[in-house]
């Protein structure tokens, strides 16, 4: 089966510019996640979608970050305007089902987008 | 905040030796998972251990879980140069702030270097 697709793989922008990342999850996966991974750290969850609805965006800096998953399939994460501290790898992941106590919530990750803000 | 913390932060061993990484966490979990990340790549799921299990094997991987101590360890036996990567533990918990959504919280990782 095809994996999680992300684009672009690399992006360099200047501070205060805007940038958008795209993710296409594994077919049939209802749950989609966006993570931010700063160099030397583990991934930090930014937002979680279940189909086309947001289930958790408590760690998303909403003054500058936005994300959507309009048709419950692919998703876009946007930063506007970017700051120097946004330099990181942005990872998209998907899983089959993540509600309740059943299921294992194994997540499948895309290759990530490495963002450098100058 | 990061729920899991890996120890050591970095580990360097010779090919053929065993590598042990530890993870500690803070809250009750549904399961604990280990992921590997090669440089410049996404994370790859390695193994999952449920909260009612104490030990699990998969190939050269052995993971243990001690829920009383809130800790887990990952052992890679007979390491190879290709095992060089960062290894993360992730705790699977119910996030009550988001209804009944399940989420993974990752630790800061152990950078493993296997020297040929």
């Amino acid at each position: 089966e095809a994996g999680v697709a992300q684009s672009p793989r690399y992006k360099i922008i200047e501070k205060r510019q805007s940038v958008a990342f795209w993710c296409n999850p594994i077919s049939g996966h209802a749950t989609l996640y966006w993570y931010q991974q700063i160099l030397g750290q583990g991934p930090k969850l930014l937002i979680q979608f279940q189909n086309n609805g947001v289930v958790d965006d408590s760690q998303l800096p909403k003054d500058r970050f936005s994300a959507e998953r309009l048709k419950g399939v692919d998703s876009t994460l946007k930063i506007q305007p970017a700051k120097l501290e946004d330099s990181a790898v942005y990872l998209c992941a998907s899983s089959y089902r993540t509600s309740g106590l059943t299921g294992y919530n194994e997540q499948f990750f895309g290759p990530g987008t490495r963002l450098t803000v100058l | 905040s990061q729920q899991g913390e890996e120890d050591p932060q970095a580990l360097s061993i010779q090919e053929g030796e065993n590598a042990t990484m530890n993870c500690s966490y803070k809250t009750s979990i549904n399961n604990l998972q280990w992921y590997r990340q090669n440089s410049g790549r996404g994370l790859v799921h390695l193994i999952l251990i449920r909260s009612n299990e104490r030990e699990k094997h998969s190939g050269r991987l052995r993971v243990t879980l001690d829920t009383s101590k809130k800790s887990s360890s990952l052992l890679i036996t007979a390491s190879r140069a290709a095992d060089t990567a960062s290894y993360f533990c992730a705790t699977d918990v119910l996030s009550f702030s988001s209804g009944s959504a399940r989420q993974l919280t990752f630790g800061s990782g152990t950078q493993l270097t296997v020297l040929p």
Side-chain angles (χ1 to χ4, degrees):
Chain A
E1 80 188 343
V4 176
Q6 286 189 251
S7 68
R9 290 295 313 277
Y10 305 92
K11 191 75 178 178
I12 300 174
I13 61 173
E14 295 189 348
K15 60 183 179 184
R16 291 188 289 274
Q17 285 188 324
S18 302
V19 64
F21 313 124
W22 175 82
C23 171
N24 194 27
I26 291 173
S27 177
H29 280 193
T31 309
L32 184 147
Y33 310 81
W34 283 101
Y35 291 89
Q36 180 192 58
Q37 185 178 24
I38 292 172
L39 186 64
Q41 298 182 16
K44 171 191 154 188
L45 180 67
L46 292 176
I47 188 167
Q48 177 180 354
F49 291 94
Q50 184 80 12
N51 297 308
N52 61 348
V54 175
V55 295
D56 190 349
D57 63 357
S58 58
Q59 298 192 78
L60 188 73
K62 299 180 188 63
D63 58 332
R64 298 183 300 105
F65 286 65
S66 64
E68 60 184 16
R69 191 185 184 198
L70 293 176
K71 297 182 179 179
V73 181
D74 58 344
S75 174
T76 303
L77 175 70
K78 296 179 181 177
I79 308 175
Q80 180 180 8
K83 292 185 176 181
L84 296 177
E85 58 261 36
D86 297 332
S87 293
V89 175
Y90 291 84
L91 295 164
C92 178
S94 69
S95 62
Y96 177 64
R97 181 184 70 156
T98 55
S99 62
L101 292 174
T102 57
Y104 296 137
N105 191 20
E106 176 185 345
Q107 295 185 15
F108 296 82
F109 284 80
T113 297
R114 182 176 298 276
L115 173 67
T116 302
V117 182
L118 302 176
Chain B
S1 63
Q2 314 247 242
Q3 147 103 300
E5 292 297 331
E6 284 91 339
D7 170 61
Q9 290 187 329
L11 179 62
S12 184
I13 59 174
Q14 294 292 134
E15 206 165 26
E17 294 180 337
N18 296 341
T20 300
M21 290 159 268
N22 302 297
C23 169
S24 60
Y25 58 92
K26 298 174 184 175
T27 65
S28 297
I29 61 174
N30 294 310
N31 62 69
L32 186 143
Q33 304 176 28
W34 286 88
Y35 286 78
R36 182 187 72 221
Q37 185 177 37
N38 290 86
S39 179
R41 304 282 185 88
L43 282 76
V44 175
H45 181 267
L46 293 176
I47 191 167
L48 177 152
I49 185 165
R50 290 177 288 188
S51 59
N52 61 354
E53 295 178 313
R54 292 297 166 257
E55 186 171 316
K56 200 162 183 181
H57 297 255
S58 177
R60 293 183 298 112
L61 305 179
R62 170 178 170 257
V63 64
T64 62
L65 180 65
D66 186 334
T67 53
S68 67
K69 295 181 178 178
K70 292 187 168 58
S71 66
S72 174
S73 68
L74 174 69
L75 169 67
I76 304 174
T77 60
S79 62
R80 306 165 182 167
D83 295 328
T84 295
S86 292
Y87 291 81
F88 296 91
C89 69
T91 50
D92 181 1
V93 298
L94 270 177
S95 171
F96 292 103
S97 65
S98 58
S100 62
R102 298 262 294 280
Q103 295 179 347
L104 292 182
T105 303
F106 288 84
S108 52
T110 293
Q111 172 61 50
L112 173 65
T113 302
V114 181
L115 303 169

